[in-house]
């Protein structure tokens, strides 16, 4: 077995150039987080409003700027084509893979190329670019919290992500200006967050049900050694499917005619209702004039088939690991969808024990990634061994379209394998090497990862030439392939860049574009941000004036009307400073009215109370 020793010389380069500003990032389907080890403990880093979660939502404005996070999420219903939600499901995928997502997504997909591209105002963007916007926002948050530029980041990925999805994630980190120290499987990160490296022993299952992906991993822990015995999952199964199941029922009752603009509103309402049903027995779903009360039992019947789909994967992972449910020492829950009562009951029934839940399932992965980042930066103990596995078998195409597996699934990484092949025809002067990934025996049922050629061989009879093919999978799960013809010594090699990622040239071009247009992009982002604030202020001011009109004096009303008119006029322009100044001017004009409203609220609150009661407050 090959072990990955964090403190071995191969990792010294990372330690030499890393400072304490190394972070862990959970790039999630629904929400993303960034965390860092501070004062010896991992902590999530919050935004200026104290929020740990960043919705994984990106809005593209007509002027070319972007809004990421909460404000983007608020715009999703009104701008469904221009606001990308749950992009993680498209990572490392081609247009044909995206067909399953088309039914209940309002996005306009562009072209027939190897990479999914979304049409947004004035351009086309890939899932990698969308994810880079999210990562860039988290990077900026971390730099503000840690008072300086980051030296590196560990980004988590679902354990069942294939090579294409992993490479896409690494490319997104690079575009976001991050040095990606390592890609870390989410279940392993969760185990790190639970502190299971501190002398614990035992076998644990990590049940990871997030917004868009499902993973199950079986880990054996002994004196700081993390060995992943088996993993399984589905990269197109998650809480989003719960929302789709609810939305499909609601759309049918609404008599939906195929209007894509209504889909986002129904999906958002479905998610809100589902989350409310975590604690309540009933919840109302409201979309336009449609109103409907949902019962928890009713929704559970709709989503039960989705939850049940995780069962065979769990049983297969236990079988692959050679572990019976009764032999487990604990079950760790990861992902927001595990808050659903039905999911928790299912987990308890499947594994025969109540799951652990003392760490927020939304935060546990980011916290664990921060621990790993700190280890790589030299800030914590360096005697931890991470023995992760590859999720899917890796092999080569041989004659007749048959797959020859070199590295089977659940092999510990880093991993390597070498096998010798020979020529099929006389006078063959080269090999066409086709690298595939999957569990099926034929190429057509596996995912194509890469093709390359070993050329320049001298003509020889069939069977005389001998090519030694070597596969090496690094700690990130990225595959490197080399081929060497033994009699001539001719070699060829490739670092597998899956066809569903971006080419090196595309990444370089995007990086150069980001540098060249940095100021322009900054101005566009500032303009969009100020417009969002302006729209919010206008809506709140108008509502207050309408609801509390009796408090307005003629002087206050005139000043506020003038401020509203000025802000509305500036909002139509493209000067973010002018919009900001108009917001501040309206705020000053509204101050007397706001104070009057506050005084009235205090007066109502104090009415009927005794002086001594008030003094004790």
């Amino acid at each position: 077995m090959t072990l990955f020793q964090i403190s071995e010389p191969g990792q010294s380069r990372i330690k030499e150039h890393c400072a304490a500003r190394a972070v862990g990032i959970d790039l999630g389907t629904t929400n993303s987080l960034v965390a860092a080890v501070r004062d010896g403990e991992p902590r999530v880093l919050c935004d200026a409003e104290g929020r740990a979660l960043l919705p994984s939502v990106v809005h593209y404005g007509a002027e070319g700027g972007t809004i990421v996070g909460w404000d983007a999420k608020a715009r999703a219903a009104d701008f469904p084509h221009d606001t990308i939600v749950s992009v993680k499901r498209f990572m490392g995928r081609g247009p044909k893979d995206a067909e399953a997502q088309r039914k209940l997504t309002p996005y306009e997909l562009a072209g027939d190329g190897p990479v999914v591209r979304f049409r947004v105002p004035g351009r086309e963007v890939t899932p990698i670019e969308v994810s880079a916007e999210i990562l860039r926002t988290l990077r900026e948050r971390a730099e503000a919290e840690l008072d300086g530029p980051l030296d590196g980041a560990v980004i988590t990925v679902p354990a069942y992500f294939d090579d294409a999805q992993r490479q896409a994630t690494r490319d997104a980190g690079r575009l976001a200006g991050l040095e990606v120290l390592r890609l870390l499987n989410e279940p392993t990160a969760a185990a790190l967050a639970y502190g299971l490296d501190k002398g614990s022993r035992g076998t644990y299952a990590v049940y990871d049900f997030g917004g868009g992906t499902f993973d199950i991993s079986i880990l054996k822990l002994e004196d700081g050694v993390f060995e992943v015995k088996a993993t399984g999952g589905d990269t197109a199964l998650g809480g989003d499917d719960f929302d789709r199941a609810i939305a499909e029922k609601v759309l049918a009752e609404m008599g939906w005619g195929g209007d894509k603009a209504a889909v986002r509103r129904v999906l958002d309402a479905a998610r809100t209702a589902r989350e409310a049903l975590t604690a309540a027995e009933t919840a109302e779903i409201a979309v336009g004039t449609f109103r409907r009360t949902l019962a928890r039992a009713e929704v559970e019947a709709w989503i039960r088939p989705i939850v049940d789909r995780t069962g065979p994967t769990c049983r297969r992972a236990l079988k692959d690991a050679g572990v019976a449910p009764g032999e487990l020492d604990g079950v760790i829950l990861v992902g927001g969808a595990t808050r659903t009562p039905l999911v928790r009951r299912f987990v308890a029934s499947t594994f025969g024990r109540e799951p652990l839940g003392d760490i927020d399932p939304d935060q546990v992965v980011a916290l664990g990634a921060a621990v790993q980042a700190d280890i790589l930066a030299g800030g914590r103990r360096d005697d931890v061994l991470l023995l992760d596995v590859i999720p899917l078998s890796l092999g080569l195409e041989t004659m007749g379209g048959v797959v020859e597996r070199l590295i089977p699934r659940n092999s510990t990484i880093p991993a390597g394998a070498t096998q010798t092949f020979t020529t099929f025809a006389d006078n063959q002067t080269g090999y066409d090497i086709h690298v595939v990934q999957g569990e099926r025996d034929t190429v057509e049922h596996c995912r194509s990862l890469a093709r390359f050629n070993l050329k320049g061989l001298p003509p020889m009879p069939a069977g005389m030439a001998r090519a030694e093919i070597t596969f090496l999978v690094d700690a990130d799960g990225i595959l490197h392939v080399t081929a060497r013809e033994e009699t001539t010594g001719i070699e060829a090699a490739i670092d597998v860049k899956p066809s569903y990622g971006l080419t090196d040239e595309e990444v370089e071009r995007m990086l150069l574009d980001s540098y060249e247009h940095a100021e322009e992009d900054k101005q566009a982002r500032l303009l969009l941000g100020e417009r969002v604030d302006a729209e919010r202020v206008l809506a709140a001011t108008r509502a207050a004036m309408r609801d509390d009109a009796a408090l307005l004096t003629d002087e206050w009303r005139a000043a506020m009307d003038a401020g509203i008119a000025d802000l509305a006029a500036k909002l139509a322009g493209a000067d973010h400073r002018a919009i900001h100044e108009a917001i501040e001017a309206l705020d000053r004009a509204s101050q007397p009215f706001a104070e009057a409203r506050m005084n009235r609220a205090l007066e109502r609150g104090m009415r009927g109370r005794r002086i001594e009661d008030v003094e004790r407050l």
Side-chain angles (χ1 to χ4, degrees):
M1 178 180 292
T2 302
L3 304 185
F4 177 50
Q5 172 72 58
I6 295 294
S7 57
E8 284 181 351
Q11 293 297 320
S12 62
R13 179 184 62 83
I14 291 177
K15 289 188 177 181
E16 287 170 2
H17 71 258
C18 281
R21 296 193 189 99
V23 298
I25 294 177
D26 176 8
L27 182 61
T29 305
T30 307
N31 297 295
S32 295
L33 303 92
V34 60
V37 172
R38 308 183 76 176
D39 300 323
E41 295 297 329
R43 301 177 186 176
V44 295
L45 305 179
C46 298
D47 63 13
E49 284 72 40
R51 298 172 297 200
L53 298 179
L54 175 76
S56 301
V57 184
V58 180
H59 171 75
Y60 290 86
E63 289 80 12
T66 58
I67 298 175
V68 179
W70 293 100
D71 287 335
K73 183 179 180 180
R75 289 180 162 233
D78 294 328
F79 301 93
H81 299 289
D82 308 336
T83 308
I84 310 301
V85 179
S86 298
V87 72
K88 188 172 179 177
R89 283 198 163 184
F90 295 91
M91 289 287 278
R93 292 295 179 237
K96 289 184 179 179
D97 298 312
E99 286 300 320
Q101 307 296 327
R102 279 182 177 269
K103 182 180 178 183
L104 282 182
T105 54
Y107 314 132
E108 294 183 15
L109 301 186
D112 299 319
V115 182
V116 173
R117 295 182 184 274
F118 305 106
R119 285 196 180 96
V120 296
R123 54 178 160 157
E124 297 174 359
V125 295
T126 67
I128 293 171
E129 293 170 274
V130 179
S131 295
E133 294 287 353
I134 299 167
L135 289 171
R136 187 177 293 112
T137 301
L138 292 174
R139 189 202 79 204
E140 292 170 353
R141 175 191 295 186
E143 289 176 342
E145 282 288 301
L146 301 178
D147 298 320
L150 301 183
D151 294 284
V154 169
I155 302 177
T156 61
V157 292
Y160 221 59
F161 254 22
D162 63 23
D163 255 47
Q165 293 164 306
R166 290 171 187 271
Q167 189 60 56
T169 303
R170 181 173 281 279
D171 286 343
R174 186 178 172 194
L175 276 178
L178 291 166
E179 180 178 0
V180 183
L181 301 177
R182 182 172 178 184
L183 300 179
L184 181 64
N185 285 347
E186 291 167 3
T188 308
L192 279 168
Y194 268 87
L196 298 177
D197 62 313
K198 299 175 181 177
S200 297
R201 295 170 179 260
T203 303
Y204 293 80
V206 181
Y207 184 95
D208 182 352
F209 205 169
T213 60
F214 166 69
D215 282 315
I216 177 68
S217 291
I218 310 300
L219 298 93
K220 184 178 180 180
L221 312 166
E222 187 170 356
D223 298 329
V225 177
F226 285 60
E227 182 181 359
V228 180
K229 303 295 292 184
T231 190
D234 189 333
T235 57
L237 179 66
D240 283 0
D241 295 293
F242 292 168
D243 300 333
R244 286 187 171 91
I246 298 169
E248 285 176 352
K249 296 289 186 181
V250 172
L251 287 168
E253 292 185 18
M254 292 172 62
W256 180 54
D259 175 18
K260 288 282 189 177
V263 171
R264 175 50 54 197
R265 289 185 173 85
V266 175
L267 284 170
D268 288 345
R271 175 172 296 171
T272 300
R274 172 173 64 86
E275 291 173 350
L277 289 171
T278 298
E281 291 296 328
T282 62
E284 184 179 61
I285 187 167
V287 183
T289 59
F290 180 84
R291 295 287 187 278
R292 168 81 145 80
T293 298
L294 300 177
R296 180 192 288 179
E298 180 182 28
V299 170
E300 286 185 349
W302 296 345
I303 67 174
R304 186 177 299 278
I306 300 168
V307 178
D308 288 343
R309 282 170 55 190
T310 69
T313 307
C314 292
R315 291 189 288 273
R316 185 175 66 246
L318 287 167
K319 182 179 179 181
D320 287 348
V323 175
E327 296 174 319
L328 293 173
D329 294 285
V331 181
I332 299 170
L333 294 182
V334 180
T338 61
R339 297 179 188 278
T340 305
L342 176 64
V343 173
R344 293 190 174 233
R345 295 200 306 273
F346 177 85
V347 171
S349 172
T350 299
F351 294 100
R353 64 177 60 245
E354 288 298 321
L356 302 172
D358 50 321
I359 298 182
D360 186 335
D362 285 321
Q363 298 186 10
V364 63
V365 168
L367 293 171
V371 172
Q372 174 67 359
D374 196 51
I375 290 172
L376 292 176
R380 284 170 60 99
R381 55 188 295 180
D382 60 1
D383 58 347
V384 176
L385 299 180
L386 293 181
L387 311 184
D388 226 327
V389 299
I390 61 170
L392 297 166
S393 300
L394 296 164
L396 292 172
E397 177 182 1
T398 58
M399 288 303 300
V402 176
V403 176
E404 178 70 21
R405 292 191 187 90
L406 271 73
I407 302 180
R409 79 172 190 271
N410 289 324
S411 295
T412 302
I413 58 173
T418 299
Q419 194 161 327
T420 302
F421 297 84
T422 189
T423 50
F424 177 76
D426 290 338
N427 301 319
Q428 189 173 330
T429 60
Y431 291 88
D432 179 22
I433 299 167
H434 184 197
V435 183
V436 297
Q437 186 171 34
E439 303 309 315
R440 303 287 292 275
D441 292 326
T442 57
V443 169
E444 64 178 331
H445 295 116
C446 291
R447 178 173 290 278
S448 173
L449 293 183
R451 291 179 183 270
F452 70 109
N453 295 307
L454 181 62
K455 296 180 178 180
L457 306 183
M460 286 184 277
M464 291 296 292
R466 299 176 65 81
E468 185 180 80
I469 311 294
T470 300
F471 280 20
L472 290 174
V473 181
D474 66 20
D476 292 328
I478 304 297
L479 174 63
H480 312 273
V481 182
T482 59
R484 181 180 182 274
E485 204 287 312
E486 293 180 346
T487 60
T488 63
I490 295 174
E491 293 187 358
I494 184 172
D495 289 343
V496 173
K497 295 282 289 187
S499 56
Y500 299 107
L502 298 178
T503 65
D504 285 334
E505 291 75 16
E506 286 178 303
V507 174
E508 290 297 335
R509 176 184 56 77
M510 291 175 183
L511 286 171
L512 289 173
D513 286 347
S514 70
Y515 298 148
E516 292 174 4
H517 302 287
E519 184 58 31
E520 176 186 329
D521 292 345
K522 178 182 177 182
Q523 295 302 317
R525 196 159 54 244
L526 288 171
L527 176 60
L528 269 174
E530 293 296 350
R531 282 181 170 170
V532 169
D533 287 343
E535 289 168 356
R536 185 185 301 118
V537 169
L538 284 172
T541 303
R542 287 166 173 156
M545 292 176 71
R546 180 183 63 251
D547 295 343
D548 292 321
L551 292 177
L552 282 168
T553 67
D554 292 340
E555 181 183 356
W556 294 352
R557 182 184 292 277
M560 292 174 67
D561 284 342
I564 288 172
D566 181 55
L567 179 54
K570 296 291 184 1
L571 184 58
D575 186 342
H576 70 86
R577 294 184 183 85
I579 297 173
H580 183 76
E581 291 170 359
I583 291 173
E584 291 185 334
L586 178 55
D587 182 61
R588 289 192 297 272
S590 304
Q591 193 65 37
F593 177 52
E595 291 175 355
R597 297 181 75 210
M598 179 65 71
N599 289 337
R600 189 183 65 177
L602 288 172
E603 180 183 342
R604 288 175 174 174
M606 296 297 106
R607 190 173 298 158
R609 295 189 178 217
R610 295 180 302 175
I611 293 178
E612 53 269 28
D613 293 335
V614 174
E615 289 176 341
R616 283 197 294 266
L617 292 177

